[in-house]
Amino acid sequence: MTGSSGIFDDGIPIVADRQNNVDLHYDALTGLPNRALFYESLRKIIKQAEINQRIISVLFLDIDNFRKINETLGHALGDELLRQFSLRLLECLRIRDMTARLGGDDFACILVTPDGSGDAGVVASKIREALRQPFELQGRPISVTASIGISVYPTDSLDADTLVKNGDTAMHRSKKAGRDTYRFFTSEMNARAIKRLDQENALRKALDRNEFVLHYQPKMELSGGRITGVEALIRWNRPGHGSIAPLEFISSLEQTGLINRVGAWVIDSACRQIAAWRDSGIGEIPISVNVSGRQFSQSTLNGDVIRAIQENDVDPEMLEFELQTERALRENSIDYDLLELELTESSLTAHANKTISILRRLKVLGIQISIDDFGTGYSSLVYLKRFPVDVLKIDRSFIMNVTTNPADAAITTAIIDMAHSLDVKVVAEGVETVEQFDFLRMRGCDEIQGYYLAKPLPANEISELLLGGIKLPKPAQSPLV
Ligand code: C2E
Ligand code: MG
Ligand code: MG
């Protein structure tokens, strides 16, 4: 989404009379609000925040080594860099946020958030990420980084001047920390930010250092007790931190855009595992892989791909993911229906039209599509009609109380019945007890997955399990394995 240089409060421009104020209030070089307008707006926004109990974060940015760049390139190109920098900044912000040029290479952004100030760190990360792409100045690629300081209303101060002063202090801490980073003024927020930055930096190296590993959790057919396949779940063996669960790092991968590379690695590893199980005689075991919405909406494209897109009039944002998936299947000579992609409802709806077209194309190849965590988003059975869905996974939160809470039992039963009437298979997630197992079997649920059967396990342990069969903790009414 593209940001705006003017801030709006519930649709009303604070600076209404823009025409007459251009010289006084806007920077001639970048067209952004200038220092005077920045202060004026900040004071007004603070007043509104007092009434609406909003949280304001102010980001102060300083381009690292700008003076040196300016001297080397000459002032005309230095100006051009500032112009392009300001555009890049706007792309990282939302329409409600404000960006100003305070002078020289100093910029500031005002973010208004209804709750928490975590947003400011996310935006700062986004800006760092956006700067990784070099600028092009007269055909020459120029890379710059920025040091960012963040101060927050009301935590750090209640008045504009102190917020600015604190933000400046935080910015200098970023410089001291080695530039190309951000710091909060408040130490507690800073500690969190540093932890996240450390994690991001470690994640950047994790793939090349082979620190990711896939564990697999089996799924079982309720009618015959057969293991129908496994779900691949990523783990990160971070040196000094042990095995880290996906929920602790997937959002960082998404924010930094690393999810595309890691997601491709997951699909590739899963395909290699399918081939390994097949070649060792264990059998053709379908693997389902979790796909993040970001993998569908953002891809880094190389020149060849871009050319192919232009020549064939295909959607550029989708192609990379499709190519990666197709290549992984082809290189391992795998039947396409052995790979299943799990998408959550929210990732399906985020880019609905684009997602539908890519899913249709993948489905034509034979790849299975499932909706994960069903019931937790804006659940709508309309998806089942619009998207080419094969499987629906009922979220663990319903299964957890399915035998004790009549509402969860009713919802689960309704999902099973409706999915079946649309010819969609149902998998219950997070089955832990024999009571849940029996309930689901009685209601005609197709498959289950959960600790009752097995926890996610490394590939070699799954191999043993596939060879030896699963011993259920307490046999259900009729023996299944
Ligand atoms: P999910 O796809 O819904 O996966 C099921 C999660 O529930 C897994 O957590 C699994 O270990 C856990 N689980 C399974 N059975 C039980 C049970 O009986 N009881 C309880 N309490 N938990 C159970 P995990 O491995 O921590 O993964 C969490 C989420 O992280 C996944 O939810 C998925 O959304 C995401 N994820 C995992 N691997 C990947 C990946 O490779 N790529 C992406 N984009 N997301 C991933
Ligand atoms: Mg899943
Ligand atoms: Mg799930």
Side-chain angles (χ1 to χ4, degrees), residues 61 106 120 130 150 235 266 270 275 282 333 335 384 390 418 448 457:
L61 294 98
D106 291 332
I150 305 167
R235 306 285 180 261
V266 171
I282 288 177
S333 319
D335 285 347
L384 302 184
D390 302 286
M418 270 188 275
I448 59 150
L457 297 167

Side-chain angles (χ1 to χ4, degrees), residues 231 290 342 372 393 429:
E231 175 174 5
N290 294 284
E342 295 193 3
D372 205 352
K393 300 186 80 174
E429 294 190 277

Side-chain angles (χ1 to χ4, degrees), residues 70-224:
N70 208 21
E71 280 164 9
T72 321
L73 295 174
H75 287 266
L77 283 189
D79 281 357
E80 178 56 23
L81 177 63
L82 290 171
R83 254 195 302 269
Q84 288 191 24
F85 181 88
S86 70
L87 292 176
R88 203 71 68 94
L89 215 50
L90 289 175
E91 278 171 13
C92 297
L93 300 171
R94 296 160 305 189
I95 210 99
R96 296 183 66 89
D97 304 330
M98 181 197 199
T99 304
R101 181 175 174 224
L102 303 182
D105 62 327
D106 291 332
F107 293 81
C109 310
I110 308 175
L111 319 176
V112 182
T113 45
D115 46 40
S117 57
D119 265 15
V122 172
V123 173
S125 280
K126 216 166 140 188
I127 294 171
R128 274 182 85 214
E129 209 51 46
L131 292 178
R132 278 177 201 281
Q133 190 77 9
F135 292 98
E136 210 178 290
L137 298 175
Q138 283 189 345
R140 265 170 68 188
I142 304 287
S143 293
V144 300
T145 57
S147 297
I148 305 172
I150 305 167
S151 61
V152 178
Y153 165 96
T155 328
D156 296 338
S157 168
L158 298 177
D159 72 88
D161 291 324
T162 320
L163 271 184
V164 171
K165 204 175 98 229
N166 293 351
D168 198 55
T169 307
M171 196 268 288
H172 281 100
R173 285 186 199 148
S174 290
K175 293 265 180 213
K176 263 206 178 134
R179 304 187 170 93
D180 184 22
T181 191
Y182 64 89
R183 288 290 181 268
F184 281 93
F185 179 72
T186 303
S187 54
E188 182 224 331
M189 283 181 199
N190 214 19
R192 259 186 288 149
I194 290 171
K195 224 169 130 186
R196 190 165 55 208
L197 280 162
D198 273 354
Q199 198 197 49
E200 278 178 20
N201 290 336
L203 278 172
R204 260 175 233 294
K205 298 173 196 142
L207 199 55
D208 294 332
R209 295 183 177 175
N210 266 326
E211 290 170 7
F212 291 117
V213 61
L214 291 183
H215 282 190
Y216 299 91
Q217 189 179 33
K219 284 178 279 184
M220 179 197 264
E221 201 172 55
L222 280 169
S223 58

